[in-house]
Amino acid sequence: MAELMAEKKQARTAMTTGDMVVWIPGFVDLQVNGYRGVDFSSQSLTEASFATACHGLFAAGTFAFLPTVITSSMATYRHVLPLIARAMRRPEFQGRVLGIHLEGPFISKERGAVGCHNPEHAQLPSIEMLETLCSLAENNIKVLTMAAELDGAEKVIAKASSSGIVVALGHQLAGADMIAKAEAAGAVLLTHLGNGIPNMLHRHHNPLMAGIASNLGASIITDGYHLPPSTIKVILRAKKGQPVIVVSDAAPVAGLAPGKHECFGKTVIVEHGDRGGRVLDAGGENLAGSGATMLQCINYLTSLGVVSPDDVLQLAYSTPLALLGLNSSDLAAPVPGKDPVLNYSTSRGYWLQPPGE
């Protein structure tokens, strides 16, 4: 806690509203599914393609992140988890790739709640399965997203939490009582609050209202498509005093040209967009992750006029690190001439100065 307070104090004193180089090296993103055609949950993933995606993210202003593996078959887990764990040992990724976010497989199979995950691979919480996945990942799982209402959830939450994993609730239909029980068991966060739920809900008794009213922190996707401004404002106001972070939830097709692409084992459509196009399933009805980077998400959030530069430093740097038990000293040092420099301007927002300039 003392380290977090020191981070916050530094953030408050390091930034003004004028044009300047920002004191942080880039943003910290705890939910990235892939980038520029590289899918972190695909059996086609290689260490080379993983490295290419990482360097692409670094060049786009994401200084450190958690590669996210969604609900998958056992064969996919056996392939991607050890691969990512091996890649993390490379010197270039130490202090940059901070672990793995396991989003599933303990999520709801119900339409709307399951999102773009394959319901065939969703399963009930199991300590044995959790231990298997942790072993495959060489104990590099740092965040686990799961549904609170499933049988066995509290036991798995307690096990994961006691193992140092940040447990987040998401892709669920849980009400207030179930969320409270999950919190008591050790859950601390709500994954992409306001998303991963059905479009049609009871006006009062629903996972969104229960999550907002809970004592849990929250991650939010501020790409301009996942949440309307009013919902972003409500969450930020309701969650004051609790950890709130921005995540990109970047889909593997983020950074690709508009059009049809294969993603998450299905066809998706990337639309035109100034801040990264909206990513939809082939039916054009449901979102399939985000087409935005953290830089684009933060600039959209800033454009709403609801956060200060100091708030941004907490939402996209200090608080994500603190949730993982880290601070800025745990990150790698930026490499002059290789890493872009993050700048801020009241007229331009956040922008990157290319390496060497």
Side-chain angles (χ1 to χ4, degrees), residues 136-191:
L136 288 171
E138 299 180 11
N139 293 317
N140 283 303
I141 295 173
K142 301 301 180 184
V143 176
L144 170 66
T145 291
M146 58 182 291
E149 75 271 20
L150 302 180
D151 290 343
E154 291 172 62
K155 291 182 179 179
V156 169
I157 291 169
K159 174 65 176 178
S161 179
S162 67
S163 302
I165 298 172
V166 175
V167 179
L169 306 180
H171 289 282
Q172 63 176 0
L173 296 174
D177 290 345
M178 294 174 182
I179 289 176
K181 290 179 180 179
E183 181 186 354
V188 298
L189 198 68
L190 295 154
T191 290

Side-chain angles (χ1 to χ4, degrees), residues 176-216:
D177 290 345
M178 294 174 182
I179 289 176
K181 290 179 180 179
E183 181 186 354
V188 298
L189 198 68
L190 295 154
T191 290
H192 50 50
L193 183 57
N195 296 109
I197 52 177
N199 288 328
M200 299 298 292
L201 294 165
H202 189 283
R203 60 184 176 182
H204 297 141
H205 306 293
N206 62 67
L208 175 57
M209 292 296 291
I212 289 174
S214 75
N215 295 318
L216 297 173

Side-chain angles (χ1 to χ4, degrees), residues 94-110:
Q94 292 179 15
R96 306 286 301 261
V97 180
L98 304 178
I100 298 170
H101 179 163
L102 193 64
E103 189 182 15
F106 312 132
I107 63 170
S108 173
K109 295 182 178 183
E110 298 301 316

Side-chain angles (χ1 to χ4, degrees), residues 74 77-78 81-83 85 131-139:
M74 202 62 225
Y77 286 133
R78 290 194 182 102
L81 293 176
L83 186 154
E131 291 176 337
T132 296
L133 296 174
C134 287
S135 178
L136 288 171
E138 299 180 11
N139 293 317

Side-chain angles (χ1 to χ4, degrees), residues 51-67:
T52 297
C54 291
H55 289 297
L57 287 161
F58 300 156
T62 299
F63 190 79
F65 74 100
L66 294 183

